[in-house]
Amino acid sequence: MLSRRFESTRIEAERLIHLFERQRLQSRGVPWGTPSLRALRDVDDWQAAEMVRKKTEACMVGIVFGADEDQQSIAPSVEDSQGNVIEQFEPGLIAYARGGKDIKFNTPGSTAGVYEWHSVMLHIIAAGFRVPYELLTGDLRQVNFSSSRVGLNEFRRMIEAMQWQLVIPMFCEPIWNWFCEAAFLAGLIPSPSIPVEWAPPKFDSVNPLQDATTDLLEVRSGFATVQQMIAKRGYDPAKVLEEWAEFADLADTLKLVFDSDPRRVSKGGQAQATDPLDPDTGEPKTNEPADAPPAAKTEGEPE
């Protein structure tokens, strides 16, 4: 049976992955939330103090002045083994005091400005962790569609930069190299250097229709390729195109035409002017026979 050892073991630096963001001349990274640690502690202390204050105010309801000496408090008392009364607070407690005939009710303190102060502290914490306030707290009351989209776009740009400049080169690639090296030493692959392409998961679109229209215009204008748009969504372009080819061949074999097939249907839903398929061969056929003579040319027509 193996026993757990609690002794420190030295590990070579080559076997470690130090994942951090180099913000300045430093050999060790600083956690993102470091600027917000004091604010987190202040919020926690404030919540604990506020809860104690609220419980204390709820315990003391009022004080009766001028009660008889043998009058007992409505709230039950607690005594120790020697018969001494232990002072304590309980919800709904009414205390009796000597002198005058009057009763004074407890007035809880005001809590004005609590929401504003808490909101400011959460903004400080969100800024320290580089996360939008709305994503950190789930509070969407102070934003609209446009402002939320602008904030998400900036946040996504930062995340994409961290993915391609930090996580992939400093974490994913070393692990891939270790994996390939181990597989090569085990005789499973012919070379320790196997090319790889990274495809981070896509971001969910805030406006899918508008984003899809933008992607389509970029492809048709030549600003981007279909492969780039597929990779942006986290899929393998080669795999997607292979599946598309299989679907197109099957649809042609079954003589089916779908609106999603750009070979047969235009963007506006009109049938494309393509040659019909030969039911025997599945290849496009023309109305002219193969040995038909060329059409006569008119005078002046270029060759």
Side-chain angles (χ1 to χ4, degrees), residues 12-124:
E12 295 78 6
E14 293 76 11
R15 299 175 56 190
L16 296 177
I17 294 179
H18 192 188
L19 182 63
F20 69 99
E21 180 185 9
R22 190 182 299 274
Q23 298 179 351
R24 53 187 182 271
L25 296 177
Q26 56 180 248
S27 59
R28 297 182 180 181
V30 177
W32 281 10
T34 300
S36 301
L37 292 181
R38 184 182 298 274
L40 284 170
R41 181 174 180 178
D42 292 341
V43 170
D44 183 70
D45 293 344
W46 169 81
Q47 290 178 346
E50 187 68 16
M51 184 61 64
V52 171
R53 184 174 71 89
K54 287 296 183 182
K55 289 182 177 180
T56 304
E57 291 177 351
C59 289
M60 181 64 69
V61 176
I63 300 177
V64 177
F65 296 90
D68 298 335
E69 295 183 2
D70 57 348
Q71 181 70 38
Q72 299 295 327
S73 172
I74 295 179
S77 60
V78 179
E79 299 180 355
D80 58 12
S81 59
Q82 304 298 327
N84 300 320
V85 178
I86 300 176
E87 297 180 355
Q88 66 176 7
F89 284 99
E90 293 184 0
L93 176 66
I94 296 179
Y96 289 84
R98 298 179 180 179
K101 298 289 184 179
D102 195 5
I103 181 172
K104 300 293 185 181
F105 290 97
N106 183 32
T107 303
S110 176
T111 57
V114 171
Y115 172 78
E116 290 76 10
W117 181 87
H118 200 193
S119 177
V120 170
M121 296 301 295
L122 291 179
H123 274 89
I124 296 175

Side-chain angles (χ1 to χ4, degrees), residues 67 114 211 257:
V114 171
D211 292 343
V257 178

Side-chain angles (χ1 to χ4, degrees), residues 14-17 167-186 189 191-198:
E14 293 76 11
R15 299 175 56 190
L16 296 177
I17 294 179
V167 178
I168 291 178
M170 297 183 63
F171 181 76
C172 298
E173 290 183 354
I175 291 180
W176 174 254
N177 294 333
W178 291 348
F179 175 80
C180 293
E181 182 180 359
F184 175 73
L185 295 177
I189 56 178
S191 173
S193 299
I194 304 298
V196 61
E197 292 187 4
W198 304 101

